[in-house]
Amino acid sequence: AKVYTIMDKSAMSTEQMSKDILDLSTATGKSATELADATYQALSASVATDKVAGFVADAVKLSKVGFTETATAVDVLTTTINAYGYSADDAEMITGRLVQTQNKGKTTVNELASSMGNVIPTAAAYNVSLDNLCSAYVIMTKQGINTANATTAINGMLTELADTGSDVAAILKDKTGKSFGQLMADGENLGSVLAILNNHVEGN
């Protein structure tokens, strides 16, 4: 009933929506109630009605390999989609990035989902790609920094880099003639920007 109140009935009938949820329940072993809640959550986050069944299916896959709940998977996927301007069709790609971060770092998708929402908007605002953001998590968690603390550190780092009045911003401007945001928009990656700073201070 909640789904019916917000779905676009011009894009899909309520009968088809019900069938899609029940079919997904049969295919995944998840309860129809859990999937309906996930569908409502996805629709509330602007996933299109005609895309929502496939999106929730991707969220279920992420929840299984990421040791988390479907609702948590939906949350991190929709946060990423909305911040970066992706679409529901990109859910599988985002899932792949998060799973790789889990596999290469010392974190889980569940931990990432609980923390990444605090830094994704900042990263997207400064044109830091999802790949760069995930790489930062891999590097930091492998060094023993837990996911929540890594989030705080990454957020602080990006804010400092983007602060036009900071020392690091002045170094970047002097060495490249561009701000941090401009460098990232031009296709530089976070590693190359940090290398500029590292060289400036001779590795200190």
Side-chain angles (χ1 to χ4, degrees):
K2 288 194 301 183
V3 169
Y4 294 164
T5 62
I6 63 172
M7 66 177 283
D8 179 1
K9 297 182 183 66
S10 67
M12 180 185 294
S13 68
T14 56
E15 290 80 8
Q16 184 61 51
M17 177 65 76
S18 180
K19 181 179 184 302
D20 285 350
I21 291 173
L22 291 172
D23 286 348
L24 186 57
S25 176
T26 301
T28 63
K30 296 282 187 177
S31 74
T33 301
E34 180 181 351
L35 295 175
D37 284 340
T39 301
Y40 177 81
Q41 184 183 356
L43 290 168
S44 297
S46 301
V47 174
T49 296
D50 59 344
K51 300 284 187 181
V52 76
F55 176 85
V56 172
D58 285 330
V60 170
K61 293 175 189 174
L62 179 60
S63 71
K64 288 183 174 181
V65 297
F67 313 106
T68 191
E69 300 298 321
T70 305
T72 305
V74 168
D75 185 52
V76 70
L77 288 173
T78 53
T79 297
T80 306
I81 286 169
N82 290 333
Y84 280 101
Y86 293 140
S87 72
D89 294 331
D90 296 309
E92 186 174 359
M93 175 275 291
I94 299 167
T95 293
R97 300 294 194 277
L98 295 175
V99 172
Q100 284 297 309
T101 305
Q102 172 181 267
N103 293 344
K104 293 181 179 180
K106 289 173 61 178
T107 186
T108 64
V109 169
N110 186 55
E111 292 173 317
L112 291 168
S114 299
S115 298
M116 281 184 82
N118 294 320
V119 71
I120 285 173
T122 305
Y126 298 138
N127 301 302
V128 177
S129 71
L130 181 60
D131 282 342
N132 275 199
L133 183 58
C134 288
S135 295
Y137 274 104
V138 169
I139 292 166
M140 296 185 77
T141 57
K142 282 180 73 172
Q143 293 176 359
I145 301 170
N146 69 43
T147 307
N149 287 340
T151 299
T152 300
I154 294 168
N155 214 351
M157 176 183 68
L158 297 180
T159 301
E160 182 74 9
L161 285 167
D163 181 357
T164 55
S166 69
D167 291 341
V168 291
I171 294 168
L172 291 177
K173 191 72 172 178
D174 178 60
K175 298 296 180 182
T176 68
K178 298 178 181 179
S179 68
F180 173 64
Q182 289 171 329
L183 287 168
M184 301 309 289
D186 288 347
E188 291 289 347
N189 62 63
L190 194 54
S192 64
V193 170
L194 293 177
I196 293 169
L197 298 173
N198 189 56
N199 291 335
H200 178 78
V201 298
E202 299 178 351
N204 186 336

